[in-house]
Amino acid sequence: MGKEISHRHTVTEYLQKTRSLCAFSLCPDIENRKVYEALPGELRQKLINEGERAEKEPWSQILLSDYLEFSKNGNRSRFEELYFSRRRKLNALIMAQLAEGGDRFLEEILDGIYLILQESSWCLPAHNTHVRDEKQQEFPDTEHPIIDLFAAETGALLAVAEYVLRPLLGKRDPGISRIIDRKLNERIFTPYTTERFWWMGDGLQPMCNWTPWCTQNILLCAFTRPDSYMDEETLKGYLRSAALSLDFFLDEYGEDGACNEGAQYYSHAGLCLFGALYIMNNVLEGGEFEGIFREPLIRNIANYIVKMNVTDNLYVNFADCAARCPRRTAREFLFGKLCRDEVLASFAAADFRKAKESDRLLSEEINLFYHIVQALNYEEMEGYPESLLLCPDAFFESTGLMVARDGTYVLAAKAGNNGDSHNHNDVGSFTVYKNGKPLIIDLGVGTYTRETFSDRRYDIWTMRSDYHNVPTFGEEEKILQEPGKEYGASDVKCFLGKKDDGNEISSLQMNIAGAYNDERIESYNREVSLIKGKEIWVKDRYEGDPECVLTLMTYEEPVIEEVTVSGVCHLKVGELSKIELTGVCKVETEVCPIEDERLKISWKHQVYRILAYMDDAKEVTVRIS
């Protein structure tokens, strides 16, 4: 892969401050009844109930033909449901066993463990390649196992399961633990130490959430093994490799801590970074490593999710992110506490309290470590005080994203470029929430298929710029934004809370012509502003020849009330808002059905598209009130 280059050495430098290791202690084993019996009685009963429910469900049966379906038709969801359901059931059984003690669920737990041990591969069909972005192998690779996200997750699940149940397994048959160790060696330890997977980093290619996500789980596999399994120098080698990979990952971040994969991927990027650092801090003696949580970059990565929150579980979303994200958990809570960020800790605890029971119990989660951490912090989160501090307006210079808010509106506007991880072609787009309800929206992404991460990605309508809140040019042949880092905004300026004629205004200015790769589009200057306590303005000025049509995606139905001869159009958007467009010669609306199951998570009904044709003056103003 060439010479390894890392610009940041943050994790490595903190690792070098420590001299010796101590035992992993984040997950007490089942014989530590004092810990598990100290859990709130209501929680313990809920965990036992979940185990009893799971016990009644049949284990999924996975055939080779299920694995091959992805290569045949690109469908990944059917196999993945069979795969993940096993892991969800096993977690529920183990948590019930920990809560209750004894061995009532052990036989069913062993069934689940052995089913997973017998799987030909832990790597998902959609990830079945040793080389990044190359065509996936059709059949599971049994000779050279691939560590993808879920091979690492599965390894960690079995490793943590064996660790917390070791006393119980030892009474039944010590050979069970040895079988798990052998499979971990075959599927995790040997590939990790003999092959350089792309997500481990080399300083040359960009990293993403895969890096901390896999790294965290590799550390769980290594540090939950019995003392005799690895010597101290071998374990230190895992820590050095982890630190290097995490530093490569941190190279992708600006000092502002913005996740260019968005709020939804924070749970896999920023939070898995936390997980890896949390494990490292636990196994390193002396306390020096904990100082990493006070580093400004780490604190900013942690706090990013608070700044992206709109209200409840709605978040500012761009790219593949959904507008509706999972509830916050003990991981965010602990991240806030270790960073000494009371706003984040309080935000996480408050959101946890709003969650429905299944979310508080992490019923959909396949990582056993997360389940145990959640249970151990459940009681404290229930009683944690709410913070009275308000989230200020923010500009993330590294990604060109502004988030501004007042008592009525949350406005987000994006400059940046089209080279983000999980990118959509959306330079210059913006979203608006009014009174906590979606008004001008970003659709997000549909259910992942083979095409989602292929050269046909931008044939998918939700990825294209003409279904984002930006202009489209041309008549017969449409000129859309192009994917790639070279296609982005220029002349970007952000002003937060500036004073003008007695108003407080936060605004983002940019020229987005460079996102279109067409010399006929000479410039397209956009200014998106929140006038605090009043309204939102978008002012566009265009220089170029091709016809220009502005798209606005709305959640509620837009009704055209009036179009004047002077180029002014008034629309009513449901009962939520009014939009005034000036500088237009024609305005049309159309319905966009929401039929994809993943899109339905955020959008409960069809959405709408406004097409505003720019008149000859080539200046359009959008006023939202």
PDB file of all heavy atoms in Angstrom, residues 58 74 77 86 92 148 207 220 314 341 353 409 417 420 445 449 469 474 484 486 525 558 577 580 595 602 624:
ATOM      1  N   PRO A  58     -37.659 -19.259  17.149  1.00  0.00           N
ATOM      2  CA  PRO A  58     -36.749 -20.251  16.549  1.00  0.00           C
ATOM      3  C   PRO A  58     -35.455 -19.592  16.084  1.00  0.00           C
ATOM      4  O   PRO A  58     -35.443 -18.419  15.692  1.00  0.00           O
ATOM      5  CB  PRO A  58     -37.561 -20.779  15.356  1.00  0.00           C
ATOM      6  CG  PRO A  58     -38.486 -19.657  15.005  1.00  0.00           C
ATOM      7  CD  PRO A  58     -38.829 -18.974  16.296  1.00  0.00           C
ATOM      8  N   GLY A  74     -28.379  -8.518  -5.881  1.00  0.00           N
ATOM      9  CA  GLY A  74     -28.037  -7.305  -5.146  1.00  0.00           C
ATOM     10  C   GLY A  74     -28.786  -7.112  -3.847  1.00  0.00           C
ATOM     11  O   GLY A  74     -28.510  -6.158  -3.108  1.00  0.00           O
ATOM     12  N   SER A  77     -30.771  -7.380   2.283  1.00  0.00           N
ATOM     13  CA  SER A  77     -31.549  -7.297   3.511  1.00  0.00           C
ATOM     14  C   SER A  77     -32.039  -8.664   3.998  1.00  0.00           C
ATOM     15  O   SER A  77     -32.113  -8.897   5.204  1.00  0.00           O
ATOM     16  CB  SER A  77     -32.734  -6.348   3.318  1.00  0.00           C
ATOM     17  OG  SER A  77     -33.556  -6.764   2.254  1.00  0.00           O
ATOM     18  N   ARG A  86     -30.016 -14.002  14.713  1.00  0.00           N
ATOM     19  CA  ARG A  86     -29.306 -14.937  15.603  1.00  0.00           C
ATOM     20  C   ARG A  86     -28.585 -14.177  16.714  1.00  0.00           C
ATOM     21  O   ARG A  86     -28.620 -14.573  17.887  1.00  0.00           O
ATOM     22  CB  ARG A  86     -28.267 -15.735  14.814  1.00  0.00           C
ATOM     23  CG  ARG A  86     -28.823 -16.816  13.939  1.00  0.00           C
ATOM     24  CD  ARG A  86     -27.698 -17.592  13.273  1.00  0.00           C
ATOM     25  NE  ARG A  86     -28.210 -18.747  12.544  1.00  0.00           N
ATOM     26  CZ  ARG A  86     -27.463 -19.615  11.897  1.00  0.00           C
ATOM     27  NH1 ARG A  86     -26.134 -19.460  11.875  1.00  0.00           N
ATOM     28  NH2 ARG A  86     -28.004 -20.642  11.266  1.00  0.00           N
ATOM     29  N   ALA A  92     -30.075 -11.325  23.917  1.00  0.00           N
ATOM     30  CA  ALA A  92     -31.190 -11.291  24.871  1.00  0.00           C
ATOM     31  C   ALA A  92     -31.076 -12.430  25.886  1.00  0.00           C
ATOM     32  O   ALA A  92     -31.325 -12.244  27.087  1.00  0.00           O
ATOM     33  CB  ALA A  92     -32.522 -11.379  24.118  1.00  0.00           C
ATOM     34  N   ASP A 148     -14.628  -7.819   8.184  1.00  0.00           N
ATOM     35  CA  ASP A 148     -15.428  -6.643   7.866  1.00  0.00           C
ATOM     36  C   ASP A 148     -16.065  -6.158   9.165  1.00  0.00           C
ATOM     37  O   ASP A 148     -15.729  -6.635  10.261  1.00  0.00           O
ATOM     38  CB  ASP A 148     -16.482  -6.973   6.804  1.00  0.00           C
ATOM     39  CG  ASP A 148     -17.658  -7.756   7.384  1.00  0.00           C
ATOM     40  OD1 ASP A 148     -17.418  -8.592   8.298  1.00  0.00           O
ATOM     41  OD2 ASP A 148     -18.797  -7.541   6.948  1.00  0.00           O
ATOM     42  N   MET A 207     -10.218   7.165   5.565  1.00  0.00           N
ATOM     43  CA  MET A 207     -10.847   6.259   6.514  1.00  0.00           C
ATOM     44  C   MET A 207     -12.302   6.677   6.731  1.00  0.00           C
ATOM     45  O   MET A 207     -12.717   7.762   6.343  1.00  0.00           O
ATOM     46  CB  MET A 207     -10.104   6.278   7.852  1.00  0.00           C
ATOM     47  CG  MET A 207      -8.653   5.793   7.761  1.00  0.00           C
ATOM     48  SD  MET A 207      -8.492   4.013   7.399  1.00  0.00           S
ATOM     49  CE  MET A 207      -8.326   4.030   5.611  1.00  0.00           C
ATOM     50  N   LEU A 220     -11.826  -5.742  21.977  1.00  0.00           N
ATOM     51  CA  LEU A 220     -12.671  -6.567  22.846  1.00  0.00           C
ATOM     52  C   LEU A 220     -12.300  -8.035  22.727  1.00  0.00           C
ATOM     53  O   LEU A 220     -12.223  -8.753  23.734  1.00  0.00           O
ATOM     54  CB  LEU A 220     -14.148  -6.372  22.488  1.00  0.00           C
ATOM     55  CG  LEU A 220     -14.809  -5.086  22.976  1.00  0.00           C
ATOM     56  CD1 LEU A 220     -16.198  -4.948  22.386  1.00  0.00           C
ATOM     57  CD2 LEU A 220     -14.876  -5.059  24.507  1.00  0.00           C
ATOM     58  N   LEU A 314     -34.996  13.716  16.127  1.00  0.00           N
ATOM     59  CA  LEU A 314     -34.802  14.281  14.789  1.00  0.00           C
ATOM     60  C   LEU A 314     -33.478  15.019  14.738  1.00  0.00           C
ATOM     61  O   LEU A 314     -33.136  15.766  15.662  1.00  0.00           O
ATOM     62  CB  LEU A 314     -35.947  15.231  14.442  1.00  0.00           C
ATOM     63  CG  LEU A 314     -37.317  14.588  14.210  1.00  0.00           C
ATOM     64  CD1 LEU A 314     -38.384  15.666  14.097  1.00  0.00           C
ATOM     65  CD2 LEU A 314     -37.298  13.736  12.947  1.00  0.00           C
ATOM     66  N   ASP A 341     -18.088  16.809  29.707  1.00  0.00           N
ATOM     67  CA  ASP A 341     -19.039  17.597  28.924  1.00  0.00           C
ATOM     68  C   ASP A 341     -20.430  17.298  29.480  1.00  0.00           C
ATOM     69  O   ASP A 341     -21.084  16.339  29.096  1.00  0.00           O
ATOM     70  CB  ASP A 341     -18.945  17.190  27.445  1.00  0.00           C
ATOM     71  CG  ASP A 341     -19.839  18.021  26.542  1.00  0.00           C
ATOM     72  OD1 ASP A 341     -20.829  18.598  27.034  1.00  0.00           O
ATOM     73  OD2 ASP A 341     -19.557  18.081  25.321  1.00  0.00           O
ATOM     74  N   ARG A 353     -34.151   8.532  28.455  1.00  0.00           N
ATOM     75  CA  ARG A 353     -35.401   8.466  29.217  1.00  0.00           C
ATOM     76  C   ARG A 353     -36.628   8.591  28.311  1.00  0.00           C
ATOM     77  O   ARG A 353     -37.713   8.113  28.666  1.00  0.00           O
ATOM     78  CB  ARG A 353     -35.416   9.550  30.297  1.00  0.00           C
ATOM     79  CG  ARG A 353     -34.412   9.313  31.417  1.00  0.00           C
ATOM     80  CD  ARG A 353     -34.644  10.229  32.598  1.00  0.00           C
ATOM     81  NE  ARG A 353     -34.367  11.625  32.315  1.00  0.00           N
ATOM     82  CZ  ARG A 353     -33.181  12.220  32.492  1.00  0.00           C
ATOM     83  NH1 ARG A 353     -32.160  11.510  32.955  1.00  0.00           N
ATOM     84  NH2 ARG A 353     -33.018  13.500  32.230  1.00  0.00           N
ATOM     85  N   TYR A 409     -37.182  28.056  14.430  1.00  0.00           N
ATOM     86  CA  TYR A 409     -36.550  27.374  13.304  1.00  0.00           C
ATOM     87  C   TYR A 409     -35.232  26.700  13.687  1.00  0.00           C
ATOM     88  O   TYR A 409     -34.495  27.186  14.561  1.00  0.00           O
ATOM     89  CB  TYR A 409     -36.235  28.374  12.181  1.00  0.00           C
ATOM     90  CG  TYR A 409     -37.450  28.998  11.552  1.00  0.00           C
ATOM     91  CD1 TYR A 409     -37.840  30.298  11.880  1.00  0.00           C
ATOM     92  CD2 TYR A 409     -38.215  28.307  10.615  1.00  0.00           C
ATOM     93  CE1 TYR A 409     -38.953  30.892  11.304  1.00  0.00           C
ATOM     94  CE2 TYR A 409     -39.327  28.883  10.025  1.00  0.00           C
ATOM     95  CZ  TYR A 409     -39.690  30.179  10.375  1.00  0.00           C
ATOM     96  OH  TYR A 409     -40.794  30.747   9.793  1.00  0.00           O
ATOM     97  N   ASN A 417     -18.063  19.765  -0.262  1.00  0.00           N
ATOM     98  CA  ASN A 417     -17.863  19.185  -1.588  1.00  0.00           C
ATOM     99  C   ASN A 417     -18.559  17.839  -1.667  1.00  0.00           C
ATOM    100  O   ASN A 417     -19.122  17.361  -0.683  1.00  0.00           O
ATOM    101  CB  ASN A 417     -16.367  19.057  -1.901  1.00  0.00           C
ATOM    102  CG  ASN A 417     -15.647  18.143  -0.930  1.00  0.00           C
ATOM    103  OD1 ASN A 417     -15.933  16.943  -0.825  1.00  0.00           O
ATOM    104  ND2 ASN A 417     -14.695  18.704  -0.175  1.00  0.00           N
ATOM    105  N   ASP A 420     -17.587  13.540   0.316  1.00  0.00           N
ATOM    106  CA  ASP A 420     -17.778  13.021   1.665  1.00  0.00           C
ATOM    107  C   ASP A 420     -18.017  11.515   1.648  1.00  0.00           C
ATOM    108  O   ASP A 420     -18.485  10.958   0.655  1.00  0.00           O
ATOM    109  CB  ASP A 420     -18.989  13.688   2.327  1.00  0.00           C
ATOM    110  CG  ASP A 420     -18.749  15.159   2.638  1.00  0.00           C
ATOM    111  OD1 ASP A 420     -17.578  15.556   2.731  1.00  0.00           O
ATOM    112  OD2 ASP A 420     -19.745  15.897   2.778  1.00  0.00           O
ATOM    113  N   VAL A 445     -31.238   8.124   2.514  1.00  0.00           N
ATOM    114  CA  VAL A 445     -30.967   7.017   1.596  1.00  0.00           C
ATOM    115  C   VAL A 445     -31.965   5.895   1.809  1.00  0.00           C
ATOM    116  O   VAL A 445     -32.462   5.698   2.919  1.00  0.00           O
ATOM    117  CB  VAL A 445     -29.525   6.487   1.791  1.00  0.00           C
ATOM    118  CG1 VAL A 445     -29.385   5.760   3.116  1.00  0.00           C
ATOM    119  CG2 VAL A 445     -29.095   5.588   0.638  1.00  0.00           C
ATOM    120  N   THR A 449     -28.513  -1.664  -1.219  1.00  0.00           N
ATOM    121  CA  THR A 449     -28.441  -2.769  -2.164  1.00  0.00           C
ATOM    122  C   THR A 449     -27.054  -2.774  -2.790  1.00  0.00           C
ATOM    123  O   THR A 449     -26.209  -1.936  -2.458  1.00  0.00           O
ATOM    124  CB  THR A 449     -29.496  -2.633  -3.279  1.00  0.00           C
ATOM    125  OG1 THR A 449     -29.180  -1.488  -4.089  1.00  0.00           O
ATOM    126  CG2 THR A 449     -30.899  -2.474  -2.703  1.00  0.00           C
ATOM    127  N   ASN A 469     -32.074  20.282  -2.405  1.00  0.00           N
ATOM    128  CA  ASN A 469     -32.548  21.659  -2.449  1.00  0.00           C
ATOM    129  C   ASN A 469     -31.502  22.573  -3.088  1.00  0.00           C
ATOM    130  O   ASN A 469     -30.975  23.501  -2.463  1.00  0.00           O
ATOM    131  CB  ASN A 469     -32.924  22.106  -1.040  1.00  0.00           C
ATOM    132  CG  ASN A 469     -33.955  21.180  -0.434  1.00  0.00           C
ATOM    133  OD1 ASN A 469     -34.991  20.923  -1.029  1.00  0.00           O
ATOM    134  ND2 ASN A 469     -33.650  20.641   0.739  1.00  0.00           N
ATOM    135  N   GLY A 474     -30.087  23.415 -17.562  1.00  0.00           N
ATOM    136  CA  GLY A 474     -30.321  22.791 -18.857  1.00  0.00           C
ATOM    137  C   GLY A 474     -31.773  22.446 -19.070  1.00  0.00           C
ATOM    138  O   GLY A 474     -32.572  22.385 -18.124  1.00  0.00           O
ATOM    139  N   GLY A 484     -17.497  13.642  -6.199  1.00  0.00           N
ATOM    140  CA  GLY A 484     -16.048  13.742  -6.088  1.00  0.00           C
ATOM    141  C   GLY A 484     -15.628  14.970  -5.304  1.00  0.00           C
ATOM    142  O   GLY A 484     -16.325  15.989  -5.284  1.00  0.00           O
ATOM    143  N   GLU A 486     -13.408  17.065  -5.893  1.00  0.00           N
ATOM    144  CA  GLU A 486     -13.081  18.243  -6.704  1.00  0.00           C
ATOM    145  C   GLU A 486     -14.307  19.074  -7.046  1.00  0.00           C
ATOM    146  O   GLU A 486     -14.179  20.202  -7.554  1.00  0.00           O
ATOM    147  CB  GLU A 486     -12.358  17.810  -7.980  1.00  0.00           C
ATOM    148  CG  GLU A 486     -13.177  16.963  -8.936  1.00  0.00           C
ATOM    149  CD  GLU A 486     -13.087  15.470  -8.669  1.00  0.00           C
ATOM    150  OE1 GLU A 486     -12.928  15.077  -7.497  1.00  0.00           O
ATOM    151  OE2 GLU A 486     -13.178  14.699  -9.655  1.00  0.00           O
ATOM    152  N   ASN A 525     -24.138  31.992  -6.872  1.00  0.00           N
ATOM    153  CA  ASN A 525     -23.910  32.439  -5.502  1.00  0.00           C
ATOM    154  C   ASN A 525     -25.190  32.287  -4.691  1.00  0.00           C
ATOM    155  O   ASN A 525     -26.266  32.727  -5.115  1.00  0.00           O
ATOM    156  CB  ASN A 525     -23.446  33.897  -5.491  1.00  0.00           C
ATOM    157  CG  ASN A 525     -22.040  34.038  -6.046  1.00  0.00           C
ATOM    158  OD1 ASN A 525     -21.072  33.584  -5.442  1.00  0.00           O
ATOM    159  ND2 ASN A 525     -21.925  34.649  -7.218  1.00  0.00           N
ATOM    160  N   PRO A 558     -47.114  21.211  -0.759  1.00  0.00           N
ATOM    161  CA  PRO A 558     -47.116  22.624  -1.124  1.00  0.00           C
ATOM    162  C   PRO A 558     -48.283  22.924  -2.077  1.00  0.00           C
ATOM    163  O   PRO A 558     -48.529  22.185  -3.024  1.00  0.00           O
ATOM    164  CB  PRO A 558     -45.770  22.799  -1.832  1.00  0.00           C
ATOM    165  CG  PRO A 558     -45.494  21.456  -2.428  1.00  0.00           C
ATOM    166  CD  PRO A 558     -46.162  20.430  -1.556  1.00  0.00           C
ATOM    167  N   SER A 577     -46.270  26.311   7.115  1.00  0.00           N
ATOM    168  CA  SER A 577     -45.453  27.432   6.683  1.00  0.00           C
ATOM    169  C   SER A 577     -45.963  28.027   5.379  1.00  0.00           C
ATOM    170  O   SER A 577     -46.774  27.416   4.654  1.00  0.00           O
ATOM    171  CB  SER A 577     -44.009  26.964   6.500  1.00  0.00           C
ATOM    172  OG  SER A 577     -43.159  28.020   6.123  1.00  0.00           O
ATOM    173  N   GLU A 580     -42.471  32.280  -0.058  1.00  0.00           N
ATOM    174  CA  GLU A 580     -42.578  33.273  -1.126  1.00  0.00           C
ATOM    175  C   GLU A 580     -41.347  33.161  -2.012  1.00  0.00           C
ATOM    176  O   GLU A 580     -40.216  33.208  -1.530  1.00  0.00           O
ATOM    177  CB  GLU A 580     -42.663  34.679  -0.546  1.00  0.00           C
ATOM    178  CG  GLU A 580     -42.754  35.767  -1.606  1.00  0.00           C
ATOM    179  CD  GLU A 580     -42.698  37.156  -1.009  1.00  0.00           C
ATOM    180  OE1 GLU A 580     -41.563  37.649  -0.771  1.00  0.00           O
ATOM    181  OE2 GLU A 580     -43.770  37.747  -0.771  1.00  0.00           O
ATOM    182  N   GLU A 595     -41.791   4.646  -0.839  1.00  0.00           N
ATOM    183  CA  GLU A 595     -42.122   3.224  -0.866  1.00  0.00           C
ATOM    184  C   GLU A 595     -41.054   2.353  -0.222  1.00  0.00           C
ATOM    185  O   GLU A 595     -41.302   1.213   0.134  1.00  0.00           O
ATOM    186  CB  GLU A 595     -42.354   2.787  -2.318  1.00  0.00           C
ATOM    187  CG  GLU A 595     -43.524   3.533  -2.968  1.00  0.00           C
ATOM    188  CD  GLU A 595     -43.630   3.290  -4.457  1.00  0.00           C
ATOM    189  OE1 GLU A 595     -42.622   2.836  -5.055  1.00  0.00           O
ATOM    190  OE2 GLU A 595     -44.709   3.559  -5.033  1.00  0.00           O
ATOM    191  N   SER A 602     -38.078   7.624   8.473  1.00  0.00           N
ATOM    192  CA  SER A 602     -38.096   9.072   8.685  1.00  0.00           C
ATOM    193  C   SER A 602     -39.353   9.731   8.126  1.00  0.00           C
ATOM    194  O   SER A 602     -39.854  10.699   8.696  1.00  0.00           O
ATOM    195  CB  SER A 602     -36.866   9.719   8.036  1.00  0.00           C
ATOM    196  OG  SER A 602     -35.672   9.317   8.668  1.00  0.00           O
ATOM    197  N   ILE A 624     -39.062  32.050   3.718  1.00  0.00           N
ATOM    198  CA  ILE A 624     -39.806  31.025   4.451  1.00  0.00           C
ATOM    199  C   ILE A 624     -40.285  31.614   5.770  1.00  0.00           C
ATOM    200  O   ILE A 624     -39.477  32.085   6.581  1.00  0.00           O
ATOM    201  CB  ILE A 624     -38.915  29.795   4.712  1.00  0.00           C
ATOM    202  CG1 ILE A 624     -38.423  29.213   3.376  1.00  0.00           C
ATOM    203  CG2 ILE A 624     -39.666  28.744   5.513  1.00  0.00           C
ATOM    204  CD1 ILE A 624     -37.355  28.158   3.519  1.00  0.00           C
TER     205      ILE A 624
END
